[in-house]
Amino acid sequence: QEQLEQSGAEVKKPGASVKISCKASGNTVTDYYVHWVRQAPGQGLEWMGVTFPGSGTTTYAPKFQGRVTMTTDTSTSTVYMELSSLRSEDAAIYYCARPGVGPTAFAYWGQGTLVSVSS
Amino acid sequence: SYVLTQPPAVSVAPGQTARITCGGDHIGSSSVHWYQQKPGQAPVLVVYDDSVRPSGIPERFSGSNSGNTATLTISRVEAGDEADYHCQVWDSVSDHPWVFGGGTKLTVL
């Protein structure tokens, strides 16, 4: 059974960075793409970017280019998403997700990580 | 980037049929996916590639896509269907390929 287990809630100050982990179990993490999606309070879902752990290839949404970095530790099957220069509008729940029934739909999701940004 | 438009809210009585739309320019030429999200939970895929149900999703959930509108239809609505529903497409020519609609809150009266 595929599972994506994310790290716990974070509280950060404006200007700081946050690094969230997403540990995959059930399948080899290098076999598929891992995406990051966020959801601000009361808002819709927002795609941030994707990484292919098998090669390290990444594609970031233009909005986050320059502030986001997605990496993988293949030895622990863990994917990381780091967002820098945090501002108040980055307060959100961050999800990792991956395809499973086709290349473009997200069949598996992590449980989400709440990031709060406050001075 | 590509824009998907959903109504903010839809209401339906139990046992009736709910239809949630997702509008986009020539969306009929793309594959549309739908997610159900209950409060405090991660989204769950309920329909993919316009009309395919993943394993475990009730037959009451169905989808269609044509022209500029995709539709998620929930038949014989139950109280447990109350949730937010999000549509999503993959825009192969965009620098922001994965796009979500704004989400629709389904209320069961």
Side-chain angles (χ1 to χ4, degrees):
Chain A
Q1 177 75 3
E2 174 68 23
Q3 284 194 327
L4 299 173
E5 187 70 27
Q6 297 184 224
S7 50
E10 302 266 9
V11 180
K12 296 293 182 181
K13 295 186 181 301
S17 298
V18 66
K19 190 171 185 177
I20 302 168
S21 66
C22 172
K23 182 174 176 57
S25 61
N27 284 287
T28 305
V29 73
T30 53
D31 287 348
Y32 48 80
Y33 291 86
V34 176
H35 297 251
W36 289 88
V37 175
R38 77 176 188 180
Q39 186 173 34
Q43 302 300 308
L45 301 170
E46 181 177 30
W47 180 78
M48 299 180 66
V50 58
T51 185
F52 186 63
S55 64
T57 303
T58 57
T59 299
Y60 303 137
K63 175 178 178 177
F64 300 102
Q65 194 78 37
R67 283 208 303 145
V68 69
T69 305
M70 298 176 187
T71 56
T72 303
D73 181 345
T74 55
S75 68
T76 60
S77 295
T78 303
V79 178
Y80 297 91
M81 188 283 295
E82 184 171 19
L83 187 63
S84 63
S85 302
L86 289 171
R87 31 208 189 230
S88 58
E89 52 265 40
D90 292 318
I93 298 175
Y94 289 76
Y95 295 100
C96 59
R98 78 159 183 91
V101 289
T104 64
F106 303 122
Y108 303 100
W109 294 73
Q111 81 275 24
T113 297
L114 176 64
V115 175
S116 301
V117 182
S118 175
S119 54
Chain B
S1 61
Y2 195 70
V3 175
L4 297 176
T5 302
Q6 297 183 238
V10 168
S11 298
V12 65
Q16 299 303 302
T17 297
R19 294 179 178 85
I20 300 171
T21 59
C22 178
D25 191 34
H26 301 293
I27 195 174
S29 62
S30 300
S31 289
V32 179
H33 316 303
W34 291 93
Y35 303 87
Q36 177 193 67
Q37 186 180 28
K38 296 183 179 180
Q41 298 183 19
V44 173
L45 182 67
V46 293
V47 167
Y48 68 97
D49 290 350
D50 298 338
S51 60
V52 184
R53 282 186 314 278
S55 174
I57 300 301
E59 291 184 7
R60 301 184 298 103
F61 289 81
S62 62
S64 63
N65 184 19
S66 178
N68 292 319
T69 304
T71 303
L72 173 70
T73 301
I74 309 171
S75 304
R76 303 181 299 284
V77 167
E78 303 173 356
D81 298 331
E82 186 163 290
D84 292 328
Y85 291 85
H86 308 271
C87 62
Q88 177 245 317
V89 301
W90 178 64
D91 181 8
S92 62
V93 300
S94 172
D95 58 359
H96 189 289
W98 279 266
V99 181
F100 289 94
T104 298
K105 169 67 176 177
L106 175 66
T107 299
V108 181
L109 301 170

